Amino acid sequence: MIKQTTLENRLNLLEYLAAEMADRVVESNGEIGFGNSFGKIMDQRTRVLQMDRPPQVIVADLEGNLASVPEHHGMMRGERESETRIIVDSIPVEFLTSKDKIQIFNDNAGTKVYAVKAPIFFSGEQAGWSIVLQDEDTLTEVNQEYRLLVTLLAGLGLLGWLVIYLLSKRIVKPVQEVANAAAQIREGNYDIKLQSTAKEQEIFELTESFREMASRLMQLEQLRAELLAGVTHDLKTPMTSISGLVQAVRDGVVTPTEEKEFLDITLKEIKRLQNMIGDLLDFNSLAAGAVSIHPERGNMAELVPEIVREWVVSQQDTLNYEVIVPEQAILRETDPFRLKQIMVNLLNNAFHSLDEEGRITVTLTDQAIDVTDTGTGIPESEQPYVFERFFRGEKKKLKVRGLGLGLPFSKLMAKSLGADLLLKESSPKGSTFTILWKK
């Protein structure tokens, strides 16, 4: 492709050279000659053409006979005249009479030669032809083009390497910061700071996600320490009460009437302790996949009101509640016992958040069960952690003892039933938890 392009470009230039020579070879008196400046002119044109050998210029009459040939011009150093000149006896008449300005033929030495013609006019009439000859090898030499191509490729390679180096350095730096931060997190240091502010979307998202992850891990670690202390306190408190009450009865420092009261309190504390330990064991069993599920197909429009009614009966307080179910049957395959465990946990949480005039509403739809209360709600700062194990809100710690496993246990149980448990909304006017069935 380079050779073909070079050949076409040089042939076009030879056409201009032939036309220029046609004007220069005619003297004012009508004689044809090349003059003393011909050699310099050809050397200049050869440099323009970027050829190692200058082209041969001859003048022919209208029949193709050679009328004038310059003796020599533009020989390269170390070359003999016979090596630079193209020797022809005549120009084919067919070429001169045809419309083509360029033709290929062999000279006397058998070398393939390109001939480019231009008419010579004197006094308005054509007096002959100016013909520029050059061998094919010289016209197709592309050393200069190859040098330019190599230079261009080398420049592009260097520029590409520089761009890749700068981009990789720009990309690697934030990735390296993330890697160093990951090493710090592995050592237990969650308080990290990423300085990189990469503009690339992927790197920016990676950095921001890692920064948020580190911040959340630090918050969870703080919560873990606080919750571990809280769980330890919640388990220790009933044990301390039981120990004190039993010791008082044993030492005989209470009256017979107080003994019975102390024993009743002890039994309640033991029951509460058993419930807390039972919750912990149930949660661990479910998390380990050791809890079996026995699904059966039933009408949710009958099952949900029955669960709510049984829970209400078990409460000793008067409750203001409502169950909203559609008139048509909603058939679904689920485990009634496990669903009851989930709903009882949600109803207990709703009940503990109510004041005296509070209300609980259970709404059944084709895809969800909503448990809504008009209680005090969950603070926005605590909402991301309601499904974390052992987490208990500040208000709930003061009202109800427990391990903070009710909601995490219910969420795991919901997933085992092919559903999900979500905090739909919460505000100072109340909260709504949703059991959302997967389609």
Side-chain angles (χ1 to χ4, degrees):
M1 183 181 68
I2 294 176
K3 283 187 175 183
Q4 182 63 28
T5 303
T6 302
L7 176 62
E8 293 175 357
N9 291 337
R10 285 176 175 172
L11 288 175
N12 290 333
L13 292 174
L14 288 182
E15 290 185 35
Y16 291 110
L17 180 60
E20 180 185 7
M21 292 299 105
D23 293 335
R24 288 181 179 274
V25 297
V26 180
E27 302 291 343
S28 59
N29 58 4
E31 296 182 358
I32 296 177
F34 289 96
N36 297 329
S37 62
F38 177 77
K40 291 183 178 181
I41 294 174
M42 289 304 302
D43 288 340
Q44 293 175 357
R45 303 302 181 266
T46 302
R47 285 193 293 270
V48 172
L49 293 170
Q50 296 181 350
M51 293 187 297
D52 292 336
R53 298 171 183 269
Q56 181 75 33
V57 180
I58 61 177
V59 175
D61 58 20
L62 296 178
E63 286 75 25
N65 300 314
L66 302 186
S68 178
V69 179
E71 302 231 348
H72 69 278
H73 57 78
M75 281 193 301
M76 306 298 293
R77 290 184 181 180
E79 292 183 336
R80 294 187 301 274
E81 184 176 351
S82 60
E83 294 176 332
T84 62
R85 292 176 65 86
I86 298 171
I87 306 300
V88 294
D89 296 329
S90 63
I91 303 299
V93 178
E94 295 81 3
F95 171 52
L96 298 178
T97 58
S98 68
K99 296 181 180 180
D100 297 330
K101 293 183 178 181
I102 302 173
Q103 185 173 345
I104 305 175
F105 61 89
N106 295 328
D107 68 353
N108 294 349
T111 303
K112 185 176 289 188
V113 174
Y114 279 84
V116 181
K117 67 181 181 180
I120 300 174
F121 291 95
F122 179 74
S123 298
E125 296 183 359
Q126 184 175 349
W129 294 95
S130 169
I131 302 172
V132 178
L133 305 175
Q134 185 60 281
D135 62 277
E136 183 182 34
D137 292 339
T138 302
L139 284 175
T140 56
E141 283 180 348
V142 290
N143 294 333
Q144 179 68 19
E145 283 73 11
Y146 282 143
R147 286 194 294 270
L148 290 175
L149 180 61
V150 171
T151 303
L152 177 62
L153 292 176
L156 289 176
L158 181 61
L159 179 61
W161 177 85
L162 180 61
V163 171
I164 292 174
Y165 172 76
L166 295 176
L167 287 178
S168 61
K169 187 175 181 180
R170 184 173 181 177
I171 293 175
V172 167
K173 183 178 179 181
V175 174
Q176 186 63 44
E177 287 187 13
V178 172
N180 295 335
Q184 296 182 41
I185 291 178
R186 184 181 59 198
E187 298 297 327
N189 178 23
Y190 302 107
D191 187 14
I192 62 172
K193 295 181 179 179
L194 297 176
Q195 303 295 335
S196 177
T197 56
K199 295 182 179 179
E200 293 76 13
Q201 182 177 358
E202 293 79 3
I203 302 299
F204 176 78
E205 291 178 355
L206 172 64
T207 305
E208 287 300 310
S209 297
F210 197 88
R211 186 182 287 114
E212 292 177 5
M213 181 194 71
S215 176
R216 181 165 175 79
L217 283 175
M218 183 171 64
Q219 293 175 350
L220 291 178
E221 180 63 18
Q222 294 173 351
L223 284 174
R224 185 190 66 81
E226 295 176 2
L227 295 175
L228 181 59
V231 170
T232 303
H233 176 268
D234 287 337
L235 289 175
K236 183 179 179 181
T237 299
M239 293 297 298
T240 303
S241 300
I242 293 171
S243 176
L245 292 171
V246 172
Q247 186 173 355
V249 174
R250 187 195 65 178
D251 293 342
V253 296
V254 294
T255 64
T257 303
E258 290 175 330
E259 285 183 9
K260 184 178 183 305
E261 182 182 356
F262 277 26
L263 290 176
D264 290 339
I265 296 174
T266 300
L267 290 174
K268 289 182 180 179
E269 292 294 328
I270 292 174
K271 180 64 176 177
R272 184 179 292 110
L273 184 60
Q274 288 175 337
N275 290 336
M276 294 169 67
I277 295 174
D279 289 344
L280 183 59
L281 293 175
D282 288 343
F283 181 85
N284 290 335
S285 298
L286 181 60
V291 175
S292 58
I293 303 297
H294 302 285
E296 59 183 59
R297 194 168 184 80
N299 185 2
M300 301 294 291
E302 296 177 355
L303 179 59
V304 170
E306 181 180 346
I307 293 174
V308 176
R309 184 168 54 253
E310 291 179 1
W311 176 78
V312 172
V313 171
S314 66
Q315 304 300 312
Q316 298 179 354
D317 296 328
T318 301
L319 292 174
N320 185 6
Y321 74 98
E322 180 182 10
V323 181
I324 303 175
V325 297
E327 295 181 359
Q328 69 275 16
I330 298 180
L331 300 179
R332 186 173 294 281
E333 193 171 279
T334 187
D335 187 332
F337 176 72
R338 300 302 180 187
L339 180 60
K340 180 179 179 180
Q341 286 183 293
I342 300 172
M343 291 193 62
V344 167
N345 278 327
L346 296 179
L347 291 168
N348 284 335
N349 286 343
F351 174 71
H352 293 147
S353 67
L354 295 178
D355 54 22
E356 295 181 357
E357 298 180 356
R359 182 182 182 85
I360 297 175
T361 303
V362 178
T363 305
L364 172 66
T365 61
D366 184 49
Q367 292 295 328
I369 303 174
D370 291 346
V371 178
T372 304
D373 63 71
T374 58
T376 56
I378 303 171
E380 186 175 352
S381 60
E382 296 180 0
Q383 291 180 17
Y385 311 107
V386 293
F387 293 108
E388 297 290 342
R389 63 189 68 182
F390 304 119
F391 176 78
R392 298 177 65 209
E394 294 297 328
K395 296 180 180 179
K396 193 172 182 180
K397 288 180 183 179
L398 303 176
K399 295 179 63 175
V400 184
R401 286 183 181 177
L403 297 179
L405 292 175
L407 287 176
F409 176 82
S410 298
K411 190 174 184 67
L412 284 177
M413 191 68 69
K415 289 184 178 180
S416 67
L417 295 178
D420 197 5
L421 178 60
L422 306 171
L423 174 59
K424 188 174 183 180
E425 60 180 348
S426 185
S427 68
K429 296 181 180 180
S431 303
T432 299
F433 282 87
T434 299
I435 303 173
L436 183 64
W437 301 99
K438 298 179 181 178
K439 297 182 180 179

